[in-house]
mmCIF file of all heavy atoms in Angstrom:
data_model
loop_
_atom_site.group_PDB
_atom_site.id
_atom_site.type_symbol
_atom_site.label_atom_id
_atom_site.label_comp_id
_atom_site.label_asym_id
_atom_site.label_seq_id
_atom_site.Cartn_x
_atom_site.Cartn_y
_atom_site.Cartn_z
ATOM 1 N N TYR A 51 16.466 8.317 -25.798
ATOM 2 C CA TYR A 51 16.964 8.315 -27.172
ATOM 3 C C TYR A 51 18.494 8.247 -27.223
ATOM 4 O O TYR A 51 19.163 8.999 -27.914
ATOM 5 C CB TYR A 51 16.449 9.553 -27.940
ATOM 6 C CG TYR A 51 14.956 9.504 -28.163
ATOM 7 C CD1 TYR A 51 14.078 10.095 -27.246
ATOM 8 C CD2 TYR A 51 14.409 8.836 -29.268
ATOM 9 C CE1 TYR A 51 12.703 9.989 -27.436
ATOM 10 C CE2 TYR A 51 13.041 8.773 -29.461
ATOM 11 C CZ TYR A 51 12.194 9.325 -28.535
ATOM 12 O OH TYR A 51 10.835 9.245 -28.707
ATOM 13 N N GLU A 52 19.004 7.331 -26.414
ATOM 14 C CA GLU A 52 20.433 7.004 -26.328
ATOM 15 C C GLU A 52 21.308 8.102 -25.760
ATOM 16 O O GLU A 52 22.543 8.008 -25.834
ATOM 17 C CB GLU A 52 20.959 6.552 -27.707
ATOM 18 C CG GLU A 52 20.292 5.274 -28.207
ATOM 19 C CD GLU A 52 20.084 5.242 -29.710
ATOM 20 O OE1 GLU A 52 21.081 5.324 -30.417
ATOM 21 O OE2 GLU A 52 18.922 5.160 -30.156
ATOM 22 N N LYS A 53 20.693 9.115 -25.206
ATOM 23 C CA LYS A 53 21.479 10.184 -24.578
ATOM 24 C C LYS A 53 21.181 10.190 -23.071
ATOM 25 O O LYS A 53 20.033 10.020 -22.655
ATOM 26 C CB LYS A 53 21.122 11.547 -25.169
ATOM 27 C CG LYS A 53 21.634 11.766 -26.573
ATOM 28 C CD LYS A 53 21.387 13.196 -27.005
ATOM 29 C CE LYS A 53 22.024 13.570 -28.329
ATOM 30 N NZ LYS A 53 22.430 12.506 -29.233
ATOM 31 N N LEU A 54 22.224 10.405 -22.282
ATOM 32 C CA LEU A 54 22.027 10.468 -20.840
ATOM 33 C C LEU A 54 21.233 11.710 -20.503
ATOM 34 O O LEU A 54 21.630 12.847 -20.814
ATOM 35 C CB LEU A 54 23.393 10.511 -20.149
ATOM 36 C CG LEU A 54 23.354 10.507 -18.622
ATOM 37 C CD1 LEU A 54 22.788 9.212 -18.077
ATOM 38 C CD2 LEU A 54 24.795 10.732 -18.060
ATOM 39 N N SER A 55 20.053 11.511 -19.874
ATOM 40 C CA SER A 55 19.206 12.673 -19.555
ATOM 41 C C SER A 55 19.165 12.933 -18.044
ATOM 42 O O SER A 55 18.896 14.056 -17.631
ATOM 43 C CB SER A 55 17.807 12.481 -20.127
ATOM 44 O OG SER A 55 17.151 11.399 -19.498
ATOM 45 N N ILE A 56 19.380 11.920 -17.234
ATOM 46 C CA ILE A 56 19.374 12.112 -15.793
ATOM 47 C C ILE A 56 20.517 11.309 -15.173
ATOM 48 O O ILE A 56 20.689 10.125 -15.481
ATOM 49 C CB ILE A 56 18.036 11.657 -15.153
ATOM 50 C CG1 ILE A 56 16.900 12.548 -15.622
ATOM 51 C CG2 ILE A 56 18.146 11.722 -13.617
ATOM 52 C CD1 ILE A 56 15.534 12.147 -15.077
ATOM 53 N N ASN A 57 21.280 11.967 -14.327
ATOM 54 C CA ASN A 57 22.278 11.308 -13.475
ATOM 55 C C ASN A 57 21.953 11.774 -12.071
ATOM 56 O O ASN A 57 22.116 12.951 -11.746
ATOM 57 C CB ASN A 57 23.685 11.733 -13.896
ATOM 58 C CG ASN A 57 24.767 11.173 -12.978
ATOM 59 O OD1 ASN A 57 24.497 10.757 -11.856
ATOM 60 N ND2 ASN A 57 25.979 11.143 -13.461
ATOM 61 N N GLU A 58 21.472 10.847 -11.241
ATOM 62 C CA GLU A 58 21.055 11.230 -9.900
ATOM 63 C C GLU A 58 22.226 11.313 -8.942
ATOM 64 O O GLU A 58 22.260 10.644 -7.918
ATOM 65 C CB GLU A 58 20.011 10.245 -9.388
ATOM 66 C CG GLU A 58 18.658 10.309 -10.058
ATOM 67 C CD GLU A 58 17.862 11.552 -9.675
ATOM 68 O OE1 GLU A 58 18.156 12.129 -8.615
ATOM 69 O OE2 GLU A 58 16.961 11.933 -10.430
ATOM 70 N N SER A 59 23.206 12.140 -9.321
ATOM 71 C CA SER A 59 24.393 12.367 -8.445
ATOM 72 C C SER A 59 25.058 11.039 -8.052
ATOM 73 O O SER A 59 25.425 10.831 -6.882
ATOM 74 C CB SER A 59 23.990 13.123 -7.168
ATOM 75 O OG SER A 59 23.368 14.343 -7.519
ATOM 76 N N VAL A 60 25.196 10.168 -9.035
ATOM 77 C CA VAL A 60 25.797 8.867 -8.795
ATOM 78 C C VAL A 60 27.332 8.991 -8.810
ATOM 79 O O VAL A 60 27.871 9.695 -9.679
ATOM 80 C CB VAL A 60 25.336 7.852 -9.859
ATOM 81 C CG1 VAL A 60 25.971 6.486 -9.638
ATOM 82 C CG2 VAL A 60 23.824 7.754 -9.873
ATOM 83 N N PRO A 61 28.025 8.345 -7.890
ATOM 84 C CA PRO A 61 29.498 8.423 -7.882
ATOM 85 C C PRO A 61 30.104 7.961 -9.215
ATOM 86 O O PRO A 61 29.538 7.088 -9.879
ATOM 87 C CB PRO A 61 29.913 7.463 -6.746
ATOM 88 C CG PRO A 61 28.694 7.391 -5.885
ATOM 89 C CD PRO A 61 27.525 7.545 -6.767
ATOM 90 N N SER A 62 31.249 8.519 -9.555
ATOM 91 C CA SER A 62 31.851 8.263 -10.877
ATOM 92 C C SER A 62 32.367 6.828 -11.004
ATOM 93 O O SER A 62 32.718 6.419 -12.127
ATOM 94 C CB SER A 62 32.986 9.242 -11.125
ATOM 95 O OG SER A 62 33.966 9.127 -10.122
ATOM 96 N N ARG A 63 32.401 6.064 -9.933
ATOM 97 C CA ARG A 63 32.809 4.646 -10.027
ATOM 98 C C ARG A 63 31.733 3.823 -10.764
ATOM 99 O O ARG A 63 31.959 2.700 -11.143
ATOM 100 C CB ARG A 63 33.117 4.071 -8.663
ATOM 101 C CG ARG A 63 31.997 4.130 -7.649
ATOM 102 C CD ARG A 63 32.503 3.636 -6.287
ATOM 103 N NE ARG A 63 31.453 3.565 -5.294
ATOM 104 C CZ ARG A 63 31.135 4.562 -4.465
ATOM 105 N NH1 ARG A 63 31.817 5.727 -4.554
ATOM 106 N NH2 ARG A 63 30.164 4.440 -3.588
ATOM 107 N N PHE A 64 30.565 4.433 -10.989
ATOM 108 C CA PHE A 64 29.516 3.855 -11.824
ATOM 109 C C PHE A 64 29.475 4.680 -13.123
ATOM 110 O O PHE A 64 29.258 5.875 -13.091
ATOM 111 C CB PHE A 64 28.140 3.957 -11.159
ATOM 112 C CG PHE A 64 28.026 3.129 -9.916
ATOM 113 C CD1 PHE A 64 28.306 3.686 -8.687
ATOM 114 C CD2 PHE A 64 27.615 1.804 -9.959
ATOM 115 C CE1 PHE A 64 28.198 2.937 -7.511
ATOM 116 C CE2 PHE A 64 27.490 1.059 -8.809
ATOM 117 C CZ PHE A 64 27.782 1.624 -7.594
ATOM 118 N N SER A 65 29.627 3.987 -14.245
ATOM 119 C CA SER A 65 29.671 4.690 -15.528
ATOM 120 C C SER A 65 28.682 4.037 -16.501
ATOM 121 O O SER A 65 28.927 2.927 -16.945
ATOM 122 C CB SER A 65 31.096 4.646 -16.087
ATOM 123 O OG SER A 65 31.162 5.196 -17.363
ATOM 124 N N PRO A 66 27.612 4.710 -16.846
ATOM 125 C CA PRO A 66 26.642 4.107 -17.771
ATOM 126 C C PRO A 66 27.078 4.322 -19.218
ATOM 127 O O PRO A 66 27.828 5.236 -19.545
ATOM 128 C CB PRO A 66 25.381 4.874 -17.468
ATOM 129 C CG PRO A 66 25.851 6.247 -17.082
ATOM 130 C CD PRO A 66 27.182 6.053 -16.389
ATOM 131 N N GLU A 67 26.509 3.471 -20.069
ATOM 132 C CA GLU A 67 26.782 3.577 -21.486
ATOM 133 C C GLU A 67 25.573 3.025 -22.251
ATOM 134 O O GLU A 67 25.032 2.009 -21.855
ATOM 135 C CB GLU A 67 28.024 2.771 -21.861
ATOM 136 C CG GLU A 67 28.364 2.802 -23.358
ATOM 137 C CD GLU A 67 29.327 1.681 -23.754
ATOM 138 O OE1 GLU A 67 29.451 0.689 -22.973
ATOM 139 O OE2 GLU A 67 29.920 1.777 -24.844
ATOM 140 N N CYS A 68 25.169 3.703 -23.311
ATOM 141 C CA CYS A 68 24.070 3.222 -24.131
ATOM 142 C C CYS A 68 24.579 3.099 -25.576
ATOM 143 O O CYS A 68 24.495 4.049 -26.345
ATOM 144 C CB CYS A 68 22.888 4.182 -24.042
ATOM 145 S SG CYS A 68 21.370 3.582 -24.800
ATOM 146 N N PRO A 69 25.094 1.915 -25.954
ATOM 147 C CA PRO A 69 25.683 1.773 -27.283
ATOM 148 C C PRO A 69 24.680 1.893 -28.419
ATOM 149 O O PRO A 69 25.033 2.335 -29.510
ATOM 150 C CB PRO A 69 26.268 0.352 -27.263
ATOM 151 C CG PRO A 69 26.273 -0.068 -25.825
ATOM 152 C CD PRO A 69 25.218 0.708 -25.140
ATOM 153 N N ASN A 70 23.442 1.462 -28.177
ATOM 154 C CA ASN A 70 22.378 1.627 -29.177
ATOM 155 C C ASN A 70 21.033 1.577 -28.455
ATOM 156 O O ASN A 70 20.966 1.452 -27.240
ATOM 157 C CB ASN A 70 22.477 0.557 -30.279
ATOM 158 C CG ASN A 70 22.365 -0.843 -29.746
ATOM 159 O OD1 ASN A 70 21.390 -1.206 -29.057
ATOM 160 N ND2 ASN A 70 23.369 -1.688 -30.040
#
Side-chain angles (χ1 to χ4, degrees):
Chain A
Y51 293 92
E52 297 145 60
K53 289 187 172 19
L54 183 65
S55 65
I56 295 177
N57 175 342
E58 289 287 339
S59 303
V60 180
S62 60
R63 57 186 185 269
F64 295 91
S65 175
E67 178 197 18
C68 189
N70 60 55

